Amino acid sequence: MTAATRSRLRAALPLGLVVRRLGGTLGLLFVLSVAVFALLRVAPGDPALTLLGPRSATPEALAAVRARHHLDSPTVVQYGYWLADALRLDLGTSIRTGDGVATVLGDRLVLTGQLVGLGFAVALLLGLPLGVLAGLRARRPTDRVVQSLGVVALSTPAFASGLLLVYGFALMLGWFPAYGPGEGAGADRLSHLVLPAAALGLAVTAVLLKLTRAAVIRELDREHVTFARARGVRERDVLLRYVLRGTVVPVLTGIGLVLAYLLAGTVMVEQVFALPGLGSLLVDSVTFRDVPVVQAEALLIAALICLVNLVTDLVQPLLDPRLRPAPTAGATPAHPSPAPGASAPPGTSGSATGTSGNHEEDDR
């Protein structure tokens, strides 16, 4: 990494901004962990009986379980013990299987990650191009058709679209397997994940479609786009250099929301397609009151969603100069202002007011 690149990176993401974002994320995770711990503690039933499982609930056994898991201590003390163990990646032992919770989650996380990744690819490949098409053909028949398809996809629950996909592409056509994760991590696993990924991605395609359409329409009404067209700039260049460039930030925000929804939406999809991922594990753990697994998985999903939001917040200033913090007094700018009458350095703009000025300078 060159010195100029490091300078631009520091200008876009000052250390104070990164520290504040990280601190806010850690604070949010702390609040979520407290909420999850408290909700499981106030749930009906005796936690000692739940942890004891099918074994004989004698007074001696209950007393031993309470002493082992600090259930005879105040709730705040119990949370402190649990948090200290969680920071050491000791998430406890599953009541159902007797295995370590970290091992159980690790085995399921790979499959859920593959499913979310394929579903995210489906949402991007459908939502972004259709959103751009609808924005360019706003208030025309093409726009109405695309928006109608988006409304249908958004209104259809993931489990319903999953059943339709199974009936059409697995039972009728026989193109893909109907259920199961497949063997290994190659072509067989991919063929088993195509239908569940499509069901998962279709549910959020309409969100990206509408966000992209609104962003494209807004950018088409900008003055710098009108000025570029008046100067005879080709429509392809107008679309690539001006319109799509200005839609990056709102679309990126929508992508972060879509990823968060995909992580939460795997529960229904994995149940429909009999996939042993985090979603089905959460359902089974809640059914059998496997408190350590429920607590750890809820915190894991919350941490993944917070991580997605954190990355989205930190990437936005890198893509759009308008979102960067103002330089402090006495700070050296990344590109020194030229002397009066001198030309600006290549690739820089004489205006620091936003993307519009940058676009106009690029064509001069």
Side-chain angles (χ1 to χ4, degrees):
M1 183 182 295
T2 64
T5 303
R6 288 196 298 269
S7 177
R8 286 193 292 266
L9 185 61
R10 285 195 298 267
L13 290 176
L15 181 60
L17 175 65
V18 176
V19 171
R20 286 195 300 271
R21 292 288 189 270
L22 287 174
T25 301
L26 293 177
L28 180 58
L29 282 176
F30 173 75
V31 173
L32 290 174
S33 67
V34 172
V36 171
F37 187 88
L39 288 175
L40 290 176
R41 287 299 179 271
V42 300
D46 187 355
L49 289 173
T50 302
L51 293 170
L52 193 60
R55 290 168 290 183
S56 178
T58 62
E60 294 78 10
L62 289 175
V65 170
R66 290 193 177 98
R68 178 183 178 185
H69 295 277
H70 312 287
L71 296 178
D72 50 357
S73 302
T75 304
V76 176
V77 177
Q78 295 179 38
Y79 174 78
Y81 281 116
W82 176 83
L83 182 61
D85 292 338
L87 292 177
R88 296 194 301 268
L89 299 181
D90 180 9
L91 302 175
T93 304
S94 172
I95 298 173
R96 289 195 304 130
T97 64
D99 298 327
V101 174
T103 302
V104 174
L105 294 180
D107 295 339
R108 305 292 189 102
L109 182 60
V110 175
L111 179 61
T112 298
Q114 293 171 346
L115 176 60
V116 170
L118 288 176
F120 182 61
V122 170
L124 287 181
L125 293 176
L126 292 178
L128 296 184
L130 290 177
V132 173
L133 177 63
L136 295 176
R137 300 290 187 270
R139 293 174 289 275
R140 297 179 186 176
T142 303
D143 179 30
R144 297 188 184 94
V145 171
V146 171
Q147 288 201 78
S148 300
L149 294 176
V151 170
V152 172
L154 185 62
S155 304
T156 306
F159 71 89
S161 61
L163 293 175
L164 291 176
L165 290 173
V166 168
Y167 180 77
F169 293 96
L171 300 181
M172 297 294 293
L173 299 176
W175 290 356
F176 302 102
Y179 63 92
E183 298 293 336
D188 188 56
R189 170 64 60 85
L190 179 62
S191 65
H192 280 77
L193 292 181
V194 168
L195 293 184
L200 187 63
L202 287 175
V204 296
T205 296
V207 177
L208 284 181
L209 190 156
K210 289 185 173 297
L211 287 174
T212 307
R213 176 184 179 273
V216 169
I217 293 176
R218 183 172 59 251
E219 290 299 319
L220 287 174
D221 292 335
R222 301 276 189 181
E223 293 182 356
H224 64 273
V225 174
T226 304
F227 183 60
R229 284 174 167 173
R231 288 185 298 164
V233 179
R234 293 183 305 174
E235 283 296 321
R236 178 183 177 183
D237 293 336
V238 170
L239 177 64
L240 295 177
R241 299 178 57 188
Y242 298 92
V243 178
L244 296 183
R245 185 176 174 183
T247 62
V248 170
V249 171
V251 171
L252 180 63
T253 304
I255 287 175
L257 297 175
V258 164
L259 276 174
Y261 178 85
L262 289 176
L263 288 171
T266 56
V267 176
M268 288 295 181
V269 174
E270 290 179 2
Q271 289 293 108
V272 171
F273 290 92
L275 297 175
L278 290 178
S280 59
L281 175 64
L282 182 61
V283 173
D284 295 339
S285 300
V286 171
T287 302
F288 290 95
R289 294 183 60 83
D290 196 344
V291 176
V293 175
V294 174
Q295 193 164 269
E297 185 170 354
L299 187 61
L300 173 62
I301 294 176
L304 292 175
I305 293 175
C306 290
L307 179 62
V308 169
N309 292 330
L310 174 64
V311 173
T312 302
D313 288 342
L314 294 180
V315 169
Q316 286 180 358
L318 297 176
L319 299 177
D320 194 339
R322 293 171 295 183
L323 300 178
R324 299 174 186 175
T328 57
T332 304
H335 295 288
S337 301
S343 58
T348 62
S349 171
S351 173
T353 58
T355 308
S356 175
N358 291 338
H359 291 328
E360 294 175 8
E361 282 294 328
D362 289 340
D363 285 336
R364 290 181 181 176

